[in-house]
Amino acid sequence: MSASTPKTRDELFAFLDRLGIAVTTKYHPPVFTVEESKALRDEIPGGHTKNLFLKDKKGRHFLLTVGEDAVIDLKTIHTVIGASGRVSFGKPEQMMDYLGVIPGAVTAFGIVNDTGNAVTLVFDEALMAHDVINAHPLTNDATTSIATADLKRFVEATGHTVQILKLASEGAT
């Protein structure tokens, strides 16, 4: 468990900068759901994310990052991601401990706080087909756009493996 203080948005941006990764960030009122964030779509092009923080029966944690309209079957997803038995949603306390974020601000960028590699990050292949991915930069009052190739570099720089699997069936677009 990570006992250290979670990185701030500015520390995340500094980390990306050290990697030579350019991002653009749009600040907006806090959004807590995909529906609320859809109001910003005209202003922010690219693939928009939905994130599921899950745990399996053995207490292993997974962060699934999928397109905002993706449909995930929680009854069968464990067979795709290699979880032990069915998965359930992780607790907000664990989300803060591992990813340094609160519910409503879950993001693949949170993996920067998972220094102990306690969370398995899995991206949906349909999302990763976009040239640009949009995600919260550890807070839900901004959206950061990052090139997909740079997102992969970021994940690897945190010591995590980039896993891309077919996780979802796309909903209405």
Side-chain angles (χ1 to χ4, degrees):
M1 203 176 292
S2 170
S4 62
T5 304
K7 288 181 176 49
T8 65
R9 177 169 60 202
D10 289 342
E11 289 169 323
L12 169 67
F13 291 155
F15 181 76
L16 291 167
D17 195 48
R18 284 193 301 277
L19 294 172
I21 293 175
V23 296
T24 56
T25 299
K26 172 104 176 120
Y27 297 90
H28 50 71
V31 291
F32 293 91
T33 65
V34 167
E35 291 309 312
E36 288 176 348
S37 65
K38 282 187 175 183
L40 307 170
R41 285 305 161 262
D42 294 343
E43 304 171 37
I44 307 172
H48 292 268
T49 57
K50 173 167 66 177
N51 296 276
L52 302 173
F53 181 65
L54 305 172
K55 70 177 183 62
D56 70 8
K57 298 213 180 305
K58 290 189 176 175
R60 292 173 48 220
H61 287 85
F62 298 83
L63 177 60
L64 308 187
T65 298
V66 302
E68 65 184 353
D69 291 320
V71 177
I72 302 294
D73 184 351
L74 289 178
K75 291 184 177 80
T76 60
I77 195 66
H78 66 282
T79 63
V80 178
I81 62 174
S84 298
R86 288 214 181 150
V87 294
S88 58
F89 287 102
K91 293 183 171 51
E93 302 80 37
Q94 294 164 323
M95 189 184 299
M96 179 53 77
D97 285 344
Y98 295 137
L99 302 177
V101 295
I102 60 168
V106 185
T107 172
F109 287 125
I111 213 76
V112 74
N113 287 309
D114 181 30
T115 55
N117 269 335
V119 178
T120 300
L121 176 62
V122 185
F123 292 101
D124 185 48
E125 65 182 16
L127 173 71
M128 298 303 274
H130 290 276
D131 293 333
V132 173
I133 306 290
N134 299 289
H136 291 309
L138 306 178
T139 60
N140 63 354
D141 60 354
T143 299
T144 295
S145 303
I146 185 170
T148 304
D150 287 338
L151 179 60
K152 292 175 187 175
R153 282 185 38 227
F154 160 76
V155 170
E156 289 168 349
T158 67
H160 291 78
T161 302
V162 175
Q163 283 192 73
I164 303 171
L165 300 171
K166 182 169 176 40
L167 300 175
S169 52
E170 292 297 316
T173 51

